[in-house]
Amino acid sequence: MKLDIAIIGSGFGGQIAAINCLKQGYTSFKIFERRDFSGGTWRQNAYPGAAVDVQSPLYSLADVPYDWTEMFAKRDELCAYTDHIFKTFSLDEYVELNATVSEMHWHDNEKYWQLTFADGKQVEAKFVINATGPLSHPNTPAFKDLEKYQGHTIHSSQWNSSVDVKNKRVAIIGSGASAAQIIPEIAEHVAHLNVFQRTPHWVLPRPDYTFKPWQRTLLRKPLFYKLLRWSLYWALEIRILGFKYSRAMLEILAGKKARKYLQSQIKDDNMRRKLTPDFIIGCKRVIVSSTLYPTLCRDNVTLFDKHQGIERFTQDGIITQDGQQLDVDLVIFATGFNATDGLVDYPVHGKNNTLLQRFWDAYPRAYLGTTMPDFPNLFIVTGPNTGIGHTSALFVIESQMKYIFKAIAAAKNTEHQTIEVKAQAEARYTENIHKQMIRTVWHYGGCNSWYKSKSGKVIAIFPGFSFTFRLMASWFKPQDHHIQ
């Protein structure tokens, strides 16, 4: 099979890439999805309580309005929106399921990428857009004697309908965004819930809202939808002033509110100490939940902090570091993803057989978080330093597409149809990113978050306004590229 454009991954990144292909008149493209279903994050994450933590009208495609029922949509509605996108653009006909890329090679003489799949199939593509996403490779820590445990284990991202928590003794490991959604959903159904928290997170109440029928009617109107989206966008965008430019503003906008909320919800002094972070708010992802704190105070819920962590597993359960023996029927790993150093989990061989993983050995890096020298015609969606800590990730993905398709168009106008960022341009861009990062709470805030790679550099987040990234992505610079 020979293609103009191969898209790897069918989540929002892959969907937006495919839509742009259609809008630009490219029909020789295909979306390769490693699972037996398409749709990405919200198809994959079916755990109890799964929901978005950015307002739904903003966490959506700019040109695909939707009559959301809630300001913060739950997983089922996000899946329905995904179906709506696939139906609107007839994307199913471009998707190949059960297609796991195992390796990629650039053939410099013929100027194409060769994709090899787990079943041995090979595909040639002039351009490749990797849209596997940073939250697709589950991270399960190595615990002592875990293999001896005879009960059930599951990672939050691999939840399925066969998991039954009713009247079970359950342990959940992790206290981040997924755990904060799962805990309130299952606590009332389990016999007992043991929550293992390595690091507490700052929590703010969830300002949810159910749209009235007449408001949902308005949401179907493109003009009203855009007005609402931009209102939400600018309301969230000002938060970067605190994250980067003013510690005082960060304290005023979020710090005081989070401490007051903790004080009002947790009356027990010992419990409050366990739940009080020792870092500046924003350094780690802020949890948005109005149900987490009340749930942790239930009689059938026990919170274990870092001083009472897991020493080892036994056949029947867990031995804690302070010597408690807990018999549990089910262990839930809400331990996140390999989201920085594992951005691309299959070998990618570029020019001169340069291995992408070796190029990223010090830390993942890319021009506009999208493309690298020695890897012509390859684009990474949600690549290094494209995450966003204060607004919708989809805004950044749509911004990346502006660069990607301008780059493809520039290459298409040349004899060999190749484009490659210059090493000096990538180095200059990356140096500036990390220079700017020093000023942000993600760097100085005093935490060790998944935003950082093993190098200690903050890799997951863009250190500035999202509209700044859009402007940079929209202003294509031919002088920064080899276009042949």
Side-chain angles (χ1 to χ4, degrees):
M1 181 187 297
K2 294 185 178 181
L3 299 168
D4 275 347
I5 302 173
I7 301 169
I8 305 172
S10 67
F12 278 129
Q15 294 163 40
I16 297 171
I19 292 168
N20 275 271
C21 283
L22 294 172
K23 288 182 175 179
Q24 299 296 327
Y26 300 118
T27 55
S28 177
F29 74 90
K30 189 168 281 291
I31 304 170
F32 296 100
E33 171 55 58
R34 63 189 172 98
R35 301 183 178 91
D36 59 2
F37 57 87
S38 57
T41 295
W42 299 108
R43 286 287 183 205
Q44 175 67 19
N45 286 274
Y47 60 79
V52 71
D53 57 6
V54 173
Q55 289 87 338
S56 310
L58 188 57
Y59 190 81
S60 54
L61 277 60
D63 296 328
V64 188
Y66 196 68
D67 56 338
W68 299 99
T69 63
E70 295 179 85
M71 187 63 80
F72 294 88
K74 295 181 175 64
R75 185 251 180 185
D76 287 348
E77 191 165 18
L78 291 160
C79 287
Y81 181 63
T82 299
D83 291 341
H84 175 65
I85 293 170
F86 270 80
K87 183 177 180 180
T88 299
F89 296 96
S90 302
L91 295 185
D92 280 324
E93 62 185 86
Y94 297 98
V95 177
E96 183 173 325
L97 302 176
N98 298 304
T100 302
V101 177
S102 60
E103 196 167 16
M104 266 177 40
H105 282 266
W106 172 253
H107 291 259
D108 200 43
N109 291 333
E110 297 86 359
K111 311 299 181 187
Y112 70 81
W113 283 99
Q114 178 180 291
L115 286 68
T116 302
F117 294 82
D119 62 0
K121 175 181 176 178
Q122 292 187 331
V123 169
E124 296 175 10
K126 181 64 80 173
F127 301 91
V128 175
I129 300 174
N130 179 289
T132 51
L135 304 182
S136 58
H137 309 300
N139 173 50
T140 302
F143 288 102
K144 184 178 179 181
D145 296 335
L146 177 59
E147 72 281 358
K148 295 180 180 179
Y149 176 59
Q150 298 298 304
H152 298 285
T153 63
I154 190 167
H155 192 279
S156 60
S157 69
Q158 297 166 332
W159 203 276
N160 58 64
S161 58
S162 67
V163 178
D164 181 16
V165 300
K166 189 174 182 180
N167 298 323
K168 296 290 196 308
R169 298 165 299 179
V170 179
I172 183 166
I173 302 172
S175 57
S178 298
Q181 293 181 342
I182 296 171
I183 290 167
E185 285 293 314
I186 69 173
E188 63 180 292
H189 305 292
V190 303
H192 198 87
L193 179 61
N194 299 293
V195 179
F196 285 91
Q197 166 195 277
R198 184 177 59 180
T199 307
H201 287 245
W202 288 110
V203 179
L204 290 172
R206 189 180 191 86
D208 213 345
Y209 178 80
T210 301
F211 290 111
K212 297 176 175 61
W214 65 269
Q215 292 170 325
R216 294 188 65 192
T217 300
L218 286 176
L219 285 172
R220 300 186 193 105
K221 309 295 184 182
L223 179 59
F224 178 83
Y225 200 77
K226 286 185 178 181
L227 286 172
L228 178 59
R229 277 176 56 87
W230 283 109
S231 297
L232 292 169
Y233 173 81
W234 289 111
L236 297 183
E237 194 71 2
I238 62 171
R239 296 195 294 184
I240 196 65
L241 295 175
F243 287 147
K244 182 177 181 180
Y245 296 103
S246 173
R247 299 190 191 191
M249 181 174 287
L250 182 60
E251 174 62 16
I252 292 169
L253 292 176
K256 286 183 177 179
K257 186 176 180 180
R259 279 193 295 276
K260 184 177 180 181
Y261 184 57
L262 175 61
Q263 184 76 28
S264 68
Q265 295 291 306
I266 306 296
K267 302 302 181 183
D268 180 78
D269 291 341
N270 185 50
M271 173 77 82
R272 198 183 313 116
R273 279 193 294 271
K274 288 183 177 182
L275 291 170
T276 301
D278 60 0
F279 53 84
I280 299 172
I281 190 168
C283 184
K284 279 179 175 282
R285 185 175 178 180
V286 178
I287 303 299
V288 183
S289 174
S290 299
T291 55
L292 177 60
Y293 282 158
T295 301
L296 293 175
C297 295
R298 289 175 60 98
D299 290 338
N300 69 329
V301 176
T302 303
L303 176 67
F304 295 85
D305 67 8
K306 64 181 179 181
H307 303 295
Q308 306 166 294
I310 297 172
E311 171 67 28
R312 61 185 173 88
F313 276 82
T314 68
Q315 178 176 321
D316 299 315
I318 293 168
I319 302 294
T320 66
Q321 290 175 352
D322 59 353
Q324 297 183 60
Q325 181 171 337
L326 308 174
D327 292 342
V328 294
D329 306 303
L330 169 67
V331 176
I332 301 169
F333 290 98
T335 45
F337 301 85
N338 189 1
T340 50
D341 294 296
L343 280 172
V344 178
D345 68 343
Y346 53 85
V348 178
H349 301 270
K351 288 173 62 176
N352 304 313
N353 207 33
T354 302
L355 184 66
L356 176 60
Q357 286 74 11
R358 190 166 298 140
F359 176 75
W360 281 352
D361 189 51
Y363 58 92
R365 51 191 292 165
Y367 177 83
L368 289 172
T370 308
T371 190
M372 298 73 56
D374 288 329
F375 297 90
N377 294 9
L378 173 63
F379 307 97
I380 310 293
V381 179
T382 59
N385 293 109
T386 59
I388 209 76
H390 63 281
T391 189
S392 171
L394 302 194
F395 183 87
V396 176
I397 292 174
E398 290 179 325
S399 301
Q400 282 188 279
M401 294 303 160
K402 293 181 181 296
Y403 166 71
I404 290 171
F405 281 88
K406 285 183 179 181
I408 291 174
K412 281 284 190 180
N413 290 328
T414 63
E415 179 184 358
H416 299 297
Q417 297 188 3
T418 65
I419 184 166
E420 175 190 350
V421 69
K422 294 178 180 178
Q424 312 95 289
E426 183 277 321
R428 185 170 60 248
Y429 176 84
T430 298
E431 181 182 358
N432 182 58
I433 283 291
H434 291 290
K435 181 179 179 181
Q436 294 295 319
M437 192 67 72
I438 293 173
R439 301 176 62 184
T440 71
V441 69
W442 305 300
H443 174 81
Y444 70 70
C447 71
N448 184 27
S449 73
W450 65 265
Y451 297 158
K452 296 179 179 180
S453 77
K454 62 186 178 183
S455 68
K457 289 184 177 292
V458 178
I459 298 301
I461 300 291
F462 178 73
F465 292 105
S466 62
F467 67 78
T468 302
F469 182 84
R470 173 156 293 192
L471 288 172
M472 290 192 297
S474 300
W475 183 21
F476 179 73
K477 297 181 178 180
Q479 67 271 23
D480 284 354
H481 302 79
H482 298 293
I483 306 174
Q484 300 174 329

